[in-house]
Amino acid sequence: MSKSEQVRPLWALQGVLTLLFLMLMLPACAVTEIRTAAQEASEPKYIAILNPQSKIAIGGMCVDILRAIEKVDPELRFIGDQVWQPRARIDAALKTGNIDVICGVQRIARNTSQYQFAATPLFSVNYLLAVRADDTVAVGDWDDIRKLGNDGIILTLRGFGIVDILTQMGGLKIDDTATSSISNLKKLLAGRGRFYCHRSPGIGLAIRQAGLEDKIRLLSKPQLTEKFYMGMAKTMSPELVNKIGASLVLLERNGELKRIFERYQE
């Protein structure tokens, strides 16, 4: 072997080492942490799950969507989705700058005044009415409920968008003092309301978890269909808003948003 042939492997090794050194010296891609929270009583947006270590974790549609966004854009990282907070506290935290996004909100006036929205809907839901199984009430539209007067009280959850929607419809008797589905289901059985209006998927799961399948039934009419979006603080930078929006466009086009939603059908 000639002297030049002996030297060539050494130069090649030095080249590889130099390249590795330069790669290590390059700055890593900056990761932006985006603060959020798990909204209480919002199943299946957020649900309590038992992980293999027998510890309670938080999963659900929104957690799956946040992880999917991180997968398509590794420069984004959502934090806080393992901490429960009521909707009112989430709104307050956003106003004070302690939360950046809320997953799954409607384009109603109360929300548009607080958030900017990604253009791509995350999912659509139907709002259904639950009644006691022994209640023979038959309604075909919202006018039928209006005619019931005080015998047609609709139970809803405090701070949820459906309260605004039903209020805007006018003439409906609404009780939005409860903060959980189990509370409203108990009130329904106690006769402290004629209907419980909640979204599906969600309301069927709440009934099953309460073990009330034989005591409560769902009406087929009337229904409301609503789209839910990613709400972002109005102070969020346009660059970050665009990155989240672009990720959601990709997830919608490749069918991942649909697949996530279908995993939580009742």
Side-chain angles (χ1 to χ4, degrees), residues 18 30 32 41 56-57 85 90 94 103-104 110 113 132 134 156 163 175 181 183 196 204 228 243 248 251-252 260 262:
T18 300
T32 301
I56 298 297
Q85 289 193 32
I90 293 174
L94 185 131
C103 174
R110 173 163 56 92
S113 67
R132 294 183 300 279
D134 60 359
T156 58
V163 179
D175 178 348
S181 283
S183 294
Y196 172 36
F228 283 70
K243 285 173 71 67
L248 290 173
L251 293 173
E252 193 278 331
I260 290 172
E262 289 176 345

Side-chain angles (χ1 to χ4, degrees), residues 16-38:
V16 172
L17 292 175
T18 300
L19 179 60
L20 289 173
F21 176 76
L22 291 174
M23 291 176 63
L24 291 173
M25 293 298 292
L26 289 174
C29 292
V31 175
T32 301
E33 290 189 340
I34 304 168
R35 299 163 299 175
T36 188

Side-chain angles (χ1 to χ4, degrees), residues 32-33 43 65 88 120 127 143 156 161 189 204 211 235 238 258:
T32 301
E33 290 189 340
E43 301 87 348
I65 290 171
T120 303
Y127 281 92
D143 277 335
T156 58
L189 292 177
T235 56
K258 181 180 180 181

Side-chain angles (χ1 to χ4, degrees), residues 40-42 86 156-160 176-184 187 196:
E40 292 180 351
S42 65
T156 58
L157 292 177
R158 183 190 306 166
F160 279 49
D176 65 342
T177 56
T179 58
S180 68
S181 283
I182 186 61
S183 294
N184 268 338
K187 290 171 70 172
Y196 172 36

Side-chain angles (χ1 to χ4, degrees), residues 241-254:
V241 170
N242 290 337
K243 285 173 71 67
I244 294 174
S247 297
L248 290 173
V249 168
L250 178 59
L251 293 173
E252 193 278 331
R253 288 178 178 172
N254 67 17

